[in-house]
Amino acid sequence: MPKSPFTQRVLNIQASATVSAFAKAGELKRQGVDLISLVAGEPDFETPAHIRDAAIRAIEAGHTRYTNPASGIPELKQAICDKFERDNGLRYSPSQIIVTCGAKQTIFDAIIALIEDGDEAIIPAPYWTSYADQVRLMGGNPIIVPTAQDADFCMTARQLQNAITSRTKFALLNSPCNPTGAVYTRENLEALADVLAGTTIYVIADEIYEKLLYDNAEHVSIAALLPELADRTLVVNGVSKSYAMTGWRVGYGAGPQNLIDLMIKVQTQETTNTCTISQYAALEALTGPQNCIERMRRAFAKRRDQIVSRLNQMPGVSCFSPRGAFYVFPRVSELIGNSSPRGRIDNDVSLCDFLLEEAGVACVPGTGFGAPGYLRFSYAAAADEIAQGMDRVEAALGRIE
Ligand code: PMP
Ligand code: GLU
């Protein structure tokens, strides 16, 4: 066989399971298929009007060139510092902030700066689909730590301890978690911080769903627990989820100066800056009225109750009630191995295909999140779509025996 002209690193990774499922559902809808898509990890709300207006004002004021510096306009970096101090009790100087094309780029830039061939990154599963493949792209090995539904999908201190080797470069913590909706408690995080104290291991703390909490859950940033750990923690956040701004592509990170400086160096060779107009919109998001967040959060909370209760009434389905984000991640392993009118359900991927074809409902298989035997449904969709989607799923699952 002739050698592929393409790199093994790229050939070895998968396309993002979420982005691919989103594209597939979009294509079917464009073809006119009657489909309810509970795939997308994005709010169905419009970006609030005051934020849109700020972007229009930015265009009219001539903010249409590269930003200077490329790593983010100074006003936005200051607003991000103020947000960290106000919301998380974390103090950074503007030089410790990087603004990127979505949080996805913040995470990848950090991984580019931290991971070399053979290095390890500890990633609790179920995990957001991009972490592991971004580590692989840099030649690293994701060390996947499976967490259990009965343990609220949180990695324990003992699990973390057992996963550490001399090659461990960083541990990834995502709270609230996509796809499970798990929220680490202060006690969970203190126990993890104790394990990491005195090591040289970095933490990437992905807190992008920070504002989407239910049942009085509290968001705690691990960086705020231990000053020593703050010096090795990159806190990742962004405006995509809290302000319904997924398309604007603004994420940000804050961390130790040496790491941020390297990430900024990478960014200058990669994307230069994220969209200038979007940065002005993000500035308005962080400094303008905040009541839009609560309005959306309340809507998500209602839909969460609706979808969790529907799923838990379905035979063979067991759904953890998420305390954050906007996904449910029901266990469907009891249905695997059964037969359906369209053939045997071999795994979560075939169950997902079955629901697409038989019910016209799109979701994402747990395998894409390192957790076979589960499905992910987003409830960032209109309540009547969720209701209709659940009716269809229930009817289709009734045809599995
Ligand atoms: N982290 C998590 C856990 C996510 O679900 C997402 C969703 N896209 C991101 C990071 C990246 O978000 P964005 O690039 O839109 O800021
Ligand atoms: N984070 C969202 C999701 O999980 C959007 C797609 C992506 O960037 O992964 O569906």
Side-chain angles (χ1 to χ4, degrees), residues 16 18-19 39-41 104 128-129 178 209 241 327 376:
S16 158
T18 49
V19 177
V39 165
K104 197 178 250 180
W128 177 50
T129 173
N178 173 6
Y209 295 100
K241 316 292 174 172
Y327 310 97
R376 189 192 82 172

Side-chain angles (χ1 to χ4, degrees), residues 34 42 65 214:
D34 168 24
E42 62 176 351
R65 301 192 167 81
Y214 317 108

Side-chain angles (χ1 to χ4, degrees), residues 102-104 107 128 131 174 178 206 208-209 240-241 249 327:
K104 197 178 250 180
I107 297 164
W128 177 50
Y131 305 133
N174 172 215
N178 173 6
D206 182 348
I208 196 153
Y209 295 100
S240 285
K241 316 292 174 172
R249 310 309 301 131
Y327 310 97

Side-chain angles (χ1 to χ4, degrees), residues 80 83-84 88-92 96-98 100 103 106-107 110 173 175 202-208 210 219-225 229-238 251-256 259-260 263:
I80 292 169
K83 174 248 159 329
F84 277 123
N88 310 104
L90 292 168
R91 296 191 79 152
Y92 296 104
Q96 291 176 275
I97 306 294
I98 183 171
T100 56
T106 299
I107 297 164
L173 288 179
S175 178
Y202 278 75
V203 175
I204 297 182
D206 182 348
E207 304 185 352
I208 196 153
E210 165 191 27
H219 174 76
V220 177
S221 184
I222 192 166
L225 294 180
L229 199 54
D231 292 341
R232 283 181 280 119
T233 300
L234 176 76
V235 184
V236 181
N237 212 317
Y252 55 85
L259 174 62
I260 295 291
M263 291 167 62

